[in-house]
Amino acid sequence: MMFKRAVYLAVFLMFSLTAGAQINLYVGGNLQANYSWLRGDEHTFEPGFGGGFSFVYWEYEYWFLKAGINYNYKTSSVLDYPYDYGVTVDSPDDRVTISYTEQSAGIPITIYFRPYEKGPNTLLIAGMMQVGVVVGLKENTEEYGELVLKGTEIKARTKTNLGIGVGYQRQLEQHLFLNIVPSFNVDLRSVRAYNSFILTAELIFGIY
């Protein structure tokens, strides 16, 4: 009789704890629009896009962490040396206008702060870091034509990017949230270093 009561009590406590457990793991996806330019002389400002999957750990009310996998497409023209074409550079005047189109994949780590909340609406402040690799690169010049590089053909493929943003979070349902965050992002370690304004729209939902 005591054993049955203990079993009933254990089952009751298990269901009670499960029902009262706070969801702190979220998954979701994001879409991005970027406006980017290469750091250098006579650069152009060009639109691009991106997207990815998000994994969020949200234990505390006023901040949470996000990791994931992102794809980014950026393009810009700049006055540069045509080293990738195998051209011998003899003087500083050998620079030509090169249009770069870059595709990269990265692992972003973002911390979000929620300093102000009113009803379902929340102010977001975000600090971002992304470590990535260039998976495809296309170069185009009037003088030498188009050059497409992939995989190990690309020199210095790794990239490190930092960003900061201020945005908005909307609670759509109890465990469903929409984040919209404009940000400014800078490549720190990259042969082709981009600056970008990025608008990210992200939907996340709780799984546990």
Side-chain angles (χ1 to χ4, degrees), residues 110-125:
T110 305
I111 182 168
Y112 289 97
F113 296 98
R114 307 171 76 245
Y116 177 77
E117 179 180 2
K118 185 174 183 180
N121 305 304
T122 303
L123 174 68
L124 289 181
I125 298 175

Side-chain angles (χ1 to χ4, degrees), residues 3 15 20 36 60 63 89 94 157 167 183 186 198 201:
F3 177 76
F15 278 105
S36 304
Y60 303 100
W63 65 275
V89 176
D94 289 340
R157 299 175 63 195
S183 62
V186 177
I198 300 177

Side-chain angles (χ1 to χ4, degrees), residues 82-184:
Y83 291 118
D84 292 339
Y85 287 88
V87 176
T88 301
V89 176
D90 296 319
S91 74
D93 296 329
D94 289 340
R95 292 191 300 172
V96 297
T97 299
I98 304 177
S99 176
Y100 291 95
T101 300
E102 179 182 280
Q103 300 180 68
S104 62
I107 299 175
I109 299 175
T110 305
I111 182 168
Y112 289 97
F113 296 98
R114 307 171 76 245
Y116 177 77
E117 179 180 2
K118 185 174 183 180
N121 305 304
T122 303
L123 174 68
L124 289 181
I125 298 175
M128 312 157 186
M129 182 184 75
Q130 177 168 288
V131 178
V133 60
V134 179
V135 296
L137 177 66
K138 183 170 69 174
E139 302 179 25
N140 207 317
T141 73
E142 291 185 2
E143 294 82 359
Y144 305 108
E146 184 177 275
L147 178 65
V148 178
L149 303 174
K150 295 182 179 180
T152 56
E153 297 174 336
I154 304 170
K155 299 177 182 178
R157 299 175 63 195
T158 59
K159 299 175 70 73
T160 301
N161 180 279
L162 293 180
I164 187 168
V166 178
Y168 165 78
Q169 182 181 73
R170 172 78 178 187
Q171 184 174 8
L172 303 176
E173 295 181 6
Q174 184 178 4
H175 301 298
L176 180 65
F177 295 84
L178 173 65
N179 304 325
I180 299 177
V181 181
S183 62
F184 176 67

Side-chain angles (χ1 to χ4, degrees), residues 23-96:
I23 289 181
N24 53 25
L25 294 179
Y26 291 74
V27 297
N30 69 81
L31 294 175
Q32 304 166 20
N34 69 66
Y35 192 59
S36 304
W37 63 99
L38 282 162
R39 295 202 293 275
D41 294 334
E42 300 183 19
H43 58 257
T44 61
F45 300 82
E46 304 289 347
F49 61 90
F53 299 99
S54 305
F55 305 91
V56 174
Y57 179 72
W58 191 348
E59 178 72 23
Y60 303 100
E61 181 179 359
Y62 295 108
W63 65 275
F64 58 92
L65 288 170
K66 184 190 82 171
I69 300 173
N70 277 350
Y71 164 83
N72 298 106
Y73 177 99
K74 296 179 180 179
T75 180
S76 176
S77 297
V78 70
L79 198 61
D80 203 354
Y81 295 104
Y83 291 118
D84 292 339
Y85 287 88
V87 176
T88 301
V89 176
D90 296 319
S91 74
D93 296 329
D94 289 340
R95 292 191 300 172
V96 297

